[in-house]
Amino acid sequence: IPHAQIFEGSSGSGSLALAISYASELLKINASSPEDTERKCNALAHPDLHFIFPVATTSSVKKHPISDLFLEQWRSFILENPFRDYFDWLTYIGAEKKQGQIGVDESQALLQKMSLKAYEGGYKVVIIWCADRLNISASNKLLKLVEEPPEKTVFILVTGSEERLISTIRSRCQLLTIPSLDKTSSK
């Protein structure tokens, strides 16, 4: 299993839903209770499943926004509809007039999480949604993790434009292009 993968797909392609499903399957490997693991993954609450996504300051988060501060909202947002996009997310958290980004504080928090052992002893999976929103400082810190990942750690970078990722990260990831869903198909 490649330790770093890019799931590239346009808005509404289902690339995030596919990443979550793939992560669930990885986390079930060697799980003592695959059914319990699947239940936790379906609720987006598995302790070895980590999410990073663009954030901005809001009325409730005044400074140093990181994904962990928005996890409850994130779970509701995705469970309602995993096909939503970046602008839907910013509107959902009340930051529609701001630029959401993944900043260096996020990378620092991820470094701390990745230094811990997997809760269930298997894989740790990090899904970075809208990875093209990583700023340069965050990208450089993430690069160190991608170059030398902790054992049994998988990074899934979900993006609509892999060209917007820094080339050093792109070169260390396996690319999977997700085609757009055909809305007229009845298959």
Side-chain angles (χ1 to χ4, degrees):
I1 296 172
H3 74 280
Q5 301 170 54
I6 298 172
F7 284 25
E8 180 186 43
S10 61
S11 179
S13 67
S15 53
L16 177 59
L18 181 61
I20 292 168
S21 180
Y22 177 60
S24 176
E25 292 302 314
L26 288 175
L27 292 169
K28 284 193 275 185
I29 297 172
N30 298 328
S32 58
S33 172
E35 298 81 18
D36 188 45
T37 296
E38 185 166 2
R39 182 185 54 76
K40 289 175 188 173
C41 288
N42 288 342
L44 307 179
H46 191 284
D48 295 325
L49 177 60
H50 306 279
F51 288 98
I52 294 177
F53 41 83
V55 291
T57 55
T58 64
S59 60
S60 59
V61 178
K62 303 281 187 207
K63 58 183 180 176
H64 303 290
I66 61 171
S67 300
D68 287 351
L69 300 175
F70 294 89
L71 274 178
E72 191 173 315
Q73 292 167 296
W74 172 255
R75 288 180 182 123
S76 297
F77 175 76
I78 295 304
L79 291 172
E80 287 172 15
N81 182 353
F83 296 93
R84 290 174 162 168
D85 66 15
Y86 165 78
F87 298 107
D88 293 335
W89 168 242
L90 291 180
T91 301
Y92 195 85
I93 63 170
E96 60 274 357
K97 295 181 182 176
K98 297 183 179 179
Q99 285 288 326
Q101 71 169 343
I102 301 170
V104 72
D105 290 337
E106 193 76 65
S107 293
Q108 190 59 41
L110 181 61
L111 282 169
Q112 290 174 341
K113 286 180 199 174
M114 294 301 101
S115 68
L116 303 173
K117 292 174 73 174
Y119 182 78
E120 291 191 356
Y123 281 97
K124 291 185 288 188
V125 181
V126 179
I127 297 176
I128 303 173
W129 182 65
C130 291
D132 50 290
R133 298 289 175 169
L134 282 156
N135 69 21
I136 294 297
S137 298
S139 293
N140 287 327
K141 277 199 181 249
L142 178 64
L143 177 61
K144 291 179 184 180
L145 272 174
V146 171
E147 286 177 330
E148 299 175 24
E151 187 178 343
K152 287 189 167 184
T153 300
V154 175
F155 295 95
I156 305 170
L157 288 74
V158 179
T159 181
S161 176
E162 61 99 11
E163 303 87 33
R164 292 184 59 196
L165 297 169
I166 64 172
S167 62
T168 49
I169 287 180
R170 286 194 331 252
S171 69
R172 287 157 177 83
C173 296
Q174 180 183 44
L175 175 64
L176 176 65
T177 303
I178 314 299
S180 295
L181 295 175
D182 183 1
K183 293 179 182 178
T184 61
S185 177
S186 60
K187 292 182 181 180

